[in-house]
Amino acid sequence: MLKSCYIRSVNVNSLKRNFSIFIFSVFTLILIPSCQSSKSSGKGFIGRSLDDLIARDNGYFNARLIMESSEKNLWDQQQDNYEGTLPIFKYGTQEQAASVQPNMDEVIAKTTFVIQLHKKSKWVDDCYFLVGKSDFYKRDYDKSLVAFRYIISEYSNIVEKQPKAKRIEEDADGTLTLLEKLKHQPVSFEAGIWIARSLTEQGKYSDAHTVISVLRSNENFPKWMVGELHAVEADCFMKQHQPAKAIEPLQIAIANTDDKQLQVRYNYILAQLYVQQKEFDKAITAFQEVIDGKPSYDMGFYARLNITKLSMSNYGITGSETKEDLLSLLKDEKYREFYGLIYYTLAEISLSEKKREEAESYLGLSVRNTLDANQKGASYVKLADLYYTDPVYKTAYAYYDSALTNLSKDYENYTEIKLRHDNLKLLVDQLEIIETERKLQYWASLSDRDLEKELEKIIAQEAEKDTTNNDFPGQDVNAQNQVTGGGGDFYFYNPTLRGRGFSEFKKVWGTRPLEDNWRRIEKGTFDNPEDKYAQEENGDKQLDLDNKNLKMEDIIASLPKTPEQITASNAKIAAALYRSGMIYKENFLDAGKAHSSFTENVESYPDNAFEVQSLFQLYQLASGAEKDKYKQEILEKYPDSDYAHLIRDPDYFKHKNDTTENVLDKYYTETYNLLQDKQYFAVRARALAADTLFIPNPMKPKFEMLSALSFANPDSIDVFKNELQKLAIKYPNNEVGDRAQQILDYLRRGSVIDDAGNNTEAVAYIFNKPEEHYFIFIMQGTGKDATTLKNNLSTYNASNFALDNLKISSILIGKDNTLVLVKSFADGDKALAYYHAVKDNAAIFGEMNKEQFSPIIISKSNYVLFYKAKDIDGYSVFFESNYFN
């Protein structure tokens, strides 16, 4: 019985379904002719309705889903830095924008298809709107403006022709009604907002503000768009670096935004703007609004942290109360990833209360309780700064060294931290020589039994260091040094490239004089105590007492026991005292410590090779009776030295004329010879002394160049670049400044191409960004890698730049290089966007060595000049100087 009932039920349902299909078929047969019956438009009402339905659900709907998904991905990819001012909109970096380009091309393809087949559909303006947004996210702002302006010109009448009362049915709060949300809405006002966005991204702020003003004054402008419009205005002011003017539109945006998460974000930005304007009470209120809005846990944490800091700094909240607030956050597991920052903030509070020991303890906890490398590095920097201020330079160096192993190179003040670290390294090397030689002399004076006890203690301490997990580098400087020099993206730290690069560097720069009439003559024509120790510097390496592999026999073999060994040890200490004094004086401007080093050199090691130079430095640092004392000592003890002559006659070197060569030229040539012999410290010392020995010193720029070149080695490459940069800025119209800039450009490219050393006439390139451009990979070598690269680029372009109709070719340039050419791009900005998309893309290089390919972009007219002259090196300099200026 149940079975028969079930069968009847199924049959009835089946008949109903078949009947429905029949009715729909009849309806379709009636519908198709009606779609073709209208004389005015070619389609009747039902035909147009079907057209709208197909346009919306087949093309526009799918394109909109892709757009929404891509926008979300682009937003999520960009991690917020809460310690900097948050951006109002997250459009992503060049590389992130390139990642969504295939989706944007798909949106354009789908919407273009709808536009072509359903021209009378009311969804066509929406399709143009998606095309404009796609070009916007591809960073092709000119194209996006074309699409948005077309909507304004062709479809804004949709808004204007509707009666005001029925144009948009809004609730009292300005949002759309449910019925209105189901209807098609014209997008002309949205297009206007996106015109303002596009102009802002192009840096055309005045035009953007004009568009915003026009939209805001339009009486028909929808209330539900007011929040977005004012957010765009605030964004424009912030990108103009006018944060004060961004506050009011951001307030209006918050009041007119329904999206709760956007409200929270806007409140956080508003609070940051108030802090910049020193309106701290308003900032605290805004941060509290963030907390009340149920933000993400990371934004909530930073809001609480900022309230705590502001309350303590500006409203008399005591350090103890603030610490209690912060310590309470440490009890909440959801804030575990922020423990390092909390301890860092506690350390800052302790320092404000002058509790140094407590601050160092908190900084130690910060280092141990964070996985964020930059936060760990920041804690090390704070410790380093404390010891640098003391000053305890050796400990400060150790902490800066640890900081650099953690900090990313885009960290704020990274360059300054690295420069201070490198200067400290120069000093610490000298201090370690002094400390080591004194220890060796002390141990040499002990009996065999006492020596054995001392050395066993040292070896045990080093073994303990090796087995202890130390968070603080002051306990193991050597280990930290090994980390610092071990690797990195910079090509000088790549062992394979380093060998090739330095041989080529020497070929191109090392054997070429800094002026046409450079001469090499015999050394020794001027006071040059460094020459006596040239062999010593290149001889046995200094014993490293911090080496974890240190053996007792190594120490015993280094003990100075004979009179000759003791004399040599004293000479090392005296030289290091003079050098450390010069570093204190010139690098750290610490006259007190410089005076102490020079004084110890003179008083503890009389008649050493650096005595007269130390006396002369003391003479320069002193005043009054003390100055006269050092003057008399130099005149009595070294009456025939150039230093004595200079004291008697400040114009001594002006009047002195050598029959074979001018004395300044000789001094300069000797200094250059020392550079060739790798006596780098001697070069720096002589370059510094030149300013006091020769007044005036017409060769000052050249001496400074020699000093800079003395840093051209892997361990001090950042100092080298910094010194070159200073020369390029200091002497822009001088041969030395030009040469410094050339070397800098070489270093930025990361390798030297064989043709770079050829002396060719300079090519007069013209920077014309609006012109048609090509992209080029300059490949070192020829062969199958060029073919592989072309294939990879072709595959990548098909997926990511399918609509750009790019062509790829390869061609030899010179004997040993290949150009892989991608063309064409409408202008330099589009070529530059492609450059950023492919230059580091792993899919392009595969298993090939990326270092053999140098990417550039070039205008069509410059390409003709470039290829004719085979001017790889010259154009690379032009490219770096103009497109990234």
Side-chain angles (χ1 to χ4, degrees):
M1 181 67 180
L2 289 173
K3 183 177 180 181
S4 64
C5 289
Y6 172 76
I7 292 172
R8 283 198 302 272
S9 175
V10 168
N11 289 336
V12 169
N13 290 335
S14 177
L15 287 171
K16 287 180 179 179
R17 185 168 60 252
N18 290 337
F19 181 74
S20 299
I21 293 171
F22 171 75
I23 292 299
F24 180 77
S25 301
V26 172
F27 176 76
T28 304
L29 290 173
I30 296 170
L31 176 67
I32 291 174
S34 71
C35 292
Q36 301 172 353
S37 64
S38 174
K39 293 181 181 179
S40 61
S41 65
K43 296 186 180 181
F45 170 75
I46 298 178
R48 290 194 302 274
S49 299
L50 182 61
D51 224 14
D52 288 339
L53 185 66
I54 293 172
R56 187 191 69 184
D57 292 347
N58 282 5
Y60 169 73
F61 178 77
N62 291 327
R64 191 182 67 186
L65 287 180
I66 295 170
M67 175 61 71
E68 290 172 353
S69 173
S70 299
E71 286 179 314
K72 184 179 185 304
N73 289 338
L74 201 57
W75 186 278
D76 292 342
Q77 281 180 45
Q78 189 174 335
Q79 296 298 314
D80 283 317
N81 174 18
Y82 291 100
E83 295 180 15
T85 304
L86 297 187
I88 289 180
F89 304 113
K90 296 202 287 186
Y91 300 135
T93 62
Q94 277 275 15
E95 289 73 16
Q96 289 165 346
S99 71
V100 300
Q101 180 154 327
N103 288 350
M104 297 300 99
D105 287 342
E106 187 175 357
V107 169
I108 292 172
K110 287 182 179 295
T111 51
T112 303
F113 185 77
V114 170
I115 291 168
Q116 290 172 345
L117 290 188
H118 306 283
K119 295 179 180 179
K120 297 298 180 180
S121 170
K122 61 187 178 183
W123 297 97
V124 170
D125 61 331
D126 298 82
C127 291
Y128 277 117
F129 184 62
L130 288 184
V131 170
K133 288 180 72 173
S134 298
D135 286 324
F136 179 91
Y137 285 120
K138 289 167 65 176
R139 300 196 171 205
D140 194 339
Y141 302 117
D142 288 335
K143 278 188 178 180
S144 69
L145 284 169
V146 169
F148 295 136
R149 284 168 176 160
Y150 181 77
I151 293 170
I152 298 294
S153 65
E154 295 295 322
Y155 296 96
S156 59
N157 60 339
I158 295 174
V159 176
E160 294 167 0
K161 287 181 179 179
Q162 291 180 3
K164 290 184 182 179
K166 296 182 179 180
R167 181 182 59 84
I168 290 182
E169 300 169 20
E170 296 175 338
D171 288 337
D173 61 356
T175 59
L176 293 178
T177 64
L178 177 61
L179 177 62
E180 197 63 27
K181 288 178 181 178
L182 296 175
K183 290 181 181 180
H184 168 267
Q185 294 297 329
V187 294
S188 54
F189 282 119
E190 287 180 271
I193 289 176
W194 281 81
I195 286 174
R197 288 197 188 205
S198 300
L199 291 169
T200 298
E201 292 307 302
Q202 287 184 319
K204 299 176 180 178
Y205 304 119
S206 178
D207 292 343
H209 284 302
T210 300
V211 172
I212 292 167
S213 179
V214 169
L215 290 172
R216 189 168 49 211
S217 63
N218 191 313
E219 61 179 3
N220 293 324
F221 190 81
K223 290 182 181 178
W224 59 273
M225 293 185 194
V226 169
E228 182 181 359
L229 179 65
H230 284 85
V232 171
E233 184 178 19
D235 179 58
C236 190
F237 279 126
M238 289 174 67
K239 286 183 171 142
Q240 283 180 273
H241 306 290
Q242 297 180 4
K245 291 184 178 180
I247 290 176
E248 184 180 352
L250 193 55
Q251 290 171 328
I252 298 172
I254 293 169
N256 290 273
T257 298
D258 293 329
D259 188 314
K260 299 302 181 186
Q261 289 306 306
L262 273 183
Q263 280 186 337
V264 169
R265 182 180 187 82
Y266 292 167
N267 269 311
Y268 193 93
I269 298 170
L270 182 63
Q272 291 180 310
L273 297 179
Y274 281 137
V275 171
Q276 292 175 28
Q277 301 307 309
K278 303 190 184 304
E279 296 186 62
F280 302 118
D281 54 339
K282 293 181 179 179
I284 291 174
T285 300
F287 278 128
Q288 189 58 53
E289 289 287 341
V290 172
I291 296 169
D292 295 341
K294 298 181 179 178
S296 60
Y297 78 96
D298 51 347
M299 183 180 283
F301 166 76
Y302 279 101
R304 288 180 172 84
L305 185 64
N306 279 302
I307 289 174
T308 300
K309 286 183 175 181
L310 291 170
S311 298
M312 186 186 76
S313 302
N314 302 284
Y315 296 98
I317 306 300
T318 64
S320 58
E321 291 176 276
T322 306
K323 286 179 183 177
E324 287 178 12
D325 292 339
L326 290 170
L327 291 170
S328 68
L329 295 178
L330 293 171
K331 299 174 183 177
D332 194 333
E333 280 293 318
K334 74 178 180 181
Y335 294 129
R336 174 165 289 281
E337 70 174 274
F338 300 111
Y339 282 2
L341 178 57
I342 295 171
Y343 282 121
Y344 182 87
T345 306
L346 287 166
E348 288 185 315
I349 295 171
S350 296
L351 287 174
S352 70
E353 298 174 332
K354 303 188 183 308
K355 297 178 180 178
R356 167 73 177 264
E357 190 175 338
E358 183 179 80
E360 288 192 40
S361 176
Y362 279 132
L363 289 170
L365 289 168
S366 176
V367 167
R368 297 184 185 96
N369 285 277
T370 184
L371 297 176
D372 183 337
N374 275 339
Q375 179 56 59
K376 185 174 289 191
S379 298
Y380 278 130
V381 169
K382 182 68 74 175
L383 282 162
D385 289 344
L386 292 174
Y387 283 96
Y388 184 83
T389 305
D390 283 344
V392 181
Y393 290 129
K394 188 172 181 180
T395 305
Y397 163 73
Y399 283 127
Y400 283 127
D401 200 55
S402 278
L404 291 175
T405 65
N406 288 282
L407 295 175
S408 60
K409 291 189 177 180
D410 58 357
Y411 182 81
E412 185 180 10
N413 298 327
Y414 180 90
T415 302
E416 290 82 355
I417 294 167
K418 182 71 167 68
L419 182 60
R420 182 172 285 184
H421 162 273
D422 292 341
N423 280 329
L424 283 169
K425 176 68 165 66
L426 298 174
L427 177 63
V428 167
D429 286 345
Q430 303 309 313
L431 298 181
E432 287 184 343
I433 290 173
I434 296 168
E435 183 180 342
T436 299
E437 291 302 322
R438 283 177 175 163
K439 283 183 178 178
L440 291 175
Q441 289 184 17
Y442 166 69
W443 291 332
S445 68
L446 298 176
S447 66
D448 290 344
R449 183 175 180 181
D450 290 338
L451 175 64
E452 187 175 350
K453 288 181 181 179
E454 285 284 337
L455 296 187
E456 283 177 351
K457 189 191 305 181
I458 295 296
I459 299 300
Q461 288 174 350
E462 291 303 321
E464 184 179 353
K465 286 182 188 178
D466 193 33
T467 57
T468 303
N469 182 20
N470 291 323
D471 286 299
F472 292 96
Q475 302 168 23
D476 190 1
V477 175
N478 184 61
Q480 295 293 341
N481 289 343
Q482 292 173 347
V483 175
T484 301
D489 294 332
F490 188 61
Y491 85 101
F492 269 128
Y493 296 153
N494 183 309
T496 304
L497 295 175
R498 188 194 309 165
R500 184 178 79 237
F502 268 96
S503 64
E504 293 181 12
F505 180 84
K506 184 176 180 181
K507 177 177 68 177
V508 176
W509 303 109
T511 58
R512 291 173 61 184
L514 295 181
E515 61 180 12
D516 293 338
N517 63 346
W518 266 28
R519 294 172 293 277
R520 294 174 60 91
I521 59 175
E522 291 184 2
K523 291 186 277 185
T525 59
F526 192 82
D527 297 337
N528 189 22
E530 293 91 342
D531 289 344
K532 300 179 182 180
Y533 295 98
Q535 184 176 1
E536 171 195 300
E537 288 183 353
N538 288 327
D540 296 335
K541 286 188 72 174
Q542 183 74 25
L543 184 69
D544 183 3
L545 295 179
D546 290 321
N547 191 335
K548 65 181 180 180
N549 297 317
L550 189 67
K551 297 177 182 177
M552 192 178 294
E553 52 265 33
D554 295 331
I555 298 176
I556 293 173
S558 301
L559 296 178
K561 293 195 171 184
T562 67
E564 294 78 12
Q565 289 173 333
I566 293 172
T567 299
S569 178
N570 285 335
K572 286 184 180 181
I573 296 173
L577 283 168
Y578 169 73
R579 292 167 178 167
S580 62
M582 292 300 297
I583 295 169
Y584 282 130
K585 179 188 173 192
E586 301 295 338
N587 293 39
F588 298 106
L589 305 179
D590 191 335
K593 284 188 176 292
H595 190 281
S596 297
S597 293
F598 294 135
T599 301
E600 189 172 359
N601 171 283
V602 171
E603 293 181 354
S604 299
Y605 304 93
D607 300 322
N608 74 83
F610 289 87
E611 184 180 56
V612 64
Q613 286 188 312
S614 295
L615 285 169
F616 188 74
Q617 292 299 327
L618 288 168
Y619 166 76
Q620 287 189 309
L621 290 169
S623 60
E626 190 181 26
K627 194 177 190 76
D628 290 335
K629 168 192 164 186
Y630 292 122
K631 173 182 175 180
Q632 286 305 118
E633 193 166 352
I634 292 172
L635 294 176
E636 291 174 7
K637 198 168 185 179
Y638 300 96
D640 297 324
S641 69
D642 287 292
Y643 297 101
H645 288 305
L646 189 60
I647 289 173
R648 295 189 195 99
D649 178 11
D651 294 329
Y652 165 68
F653 287 114
K654 274 187 183 179
H655 307 316
K656 182 175 179 179
N657 184 24
D658 193 287
T659 56
T660 58
E661 185 97 18
N662 179 276
V663 66
L664 177 59
D665 284 344
K666 283 187 176 182
Y667 184 84
Y668 175 72
T669 306
E670 291 163 6
T671 308
Y672 173 71
N673 289 338
L674 288 171
L675 179 68
Q676 296 295 86
D677 293 337
K678 300 182 180 180
Q679 304 302 310
Y680 298 131
F681 196 91
V683 170
R684 292 167 211 155
R686 288 172 64 89
L688 286 172
D691 284 343
T692 53
L693 292 171
F694 305 97
I695 303 174
N697 178 11
M699 298 182 70
K700 179 179 175 65
K702 295 188 187 319
F703 279 108
E704 291 182 10
M705 172 60 89
L706 293 183
S707 180
L709 289 171
S710 71
F711 291 104
N713 63 79
D715 293 330
S716 58
I717 195 63
D718 285 329
V719 178
F720 180 40
K721 291 196 292 185
N722 187 274
E723 292 299 309
L724 290 173
Q725 185 68 55
K726 287 192 288 188
L727 288 175
I729 294 170
K730 190 174 181 180
Y731 304 110
N733 301 315
N734 184 286
E735 173 190 20
V736 168
D738 291 342
R739 190 60 53 87
Q741 187 61 57
Q742 289 174 14
I743 301 174
L744 269 176
D745 293 332
Y746 153 79
L747 291 173
R748 287 174 183 143
R749 287 195 300 279
S751 63
V752 174
I753 300 170
D754 287 342
D755 289 342
N758 297 335
N759 290 319
T760 57
E761 186 177 347
V763 180
Y765 297 111
I766 297 174
F767 182 58
N768 186 9
K769 220 173 185 183
E771 186 184 353
E772 179 182 348
H773 273 65
Y774 304 154
F775 171 86
I776 299 174
F777 267 125
I778 302 172
M779 188 184 96
Q780 298 174 34
T782 60
K784 65 178 184 179
D785 278 355
T787 303
T788 303
L789 183 65
K790 284 168 58 182
N791 293 337
N792 292 350
L793 281 170
S794 179
T795 302
Y796 178 80
N797 290 348
S799 300
N800 298 276
F801 291 86
L803 301 181
D804 292 288
N805 196 29
L806 300 175
K807 307 297 183 186
I808 305 173
S809 60
S810 62
I811 188 170
L812 289 175
I813 183 168
K815 302 180 297 181
D816 304 314
N817 300 292
T818 306
L819 302 183
V820 177
L821 189 68
V822 180
K823 62 179 185 179
S824 292
F825 299 91
D827 55 40
D829 286 328
K830 293 177 179 58
L832 205 55
Y834 184 84
Y835 169 93
H836 286 295
V838 303
K839 70 182 179 70
D840 293 316
N841 196 308
I844 302 298
F845 301 105
E847 296 181 358
M848 295 183 293
N849 179 9
K850 187 176 75 172
E851 302 297 333
Q852 70 174 314
F853 304 105
S854 300
I856 61 170
I857 65 171
I858 188 168
S859 66
K860 185 176 181 179
S861 56
N862 281 342
Y863 176 74
V864 175
L865 301 173
F866 161 77
Y867 187 76
K868 182 179 179 181
K870 306 292 188 288
D871 185 29
I872 292 175
D873 190 56
Y875 182 77
S876 296
V877 173
F878 176 85
F879 169 66
E880 293 274 351
S881 301
N882 289 277
Y883 289 90
F884 298 108
N885 188 353

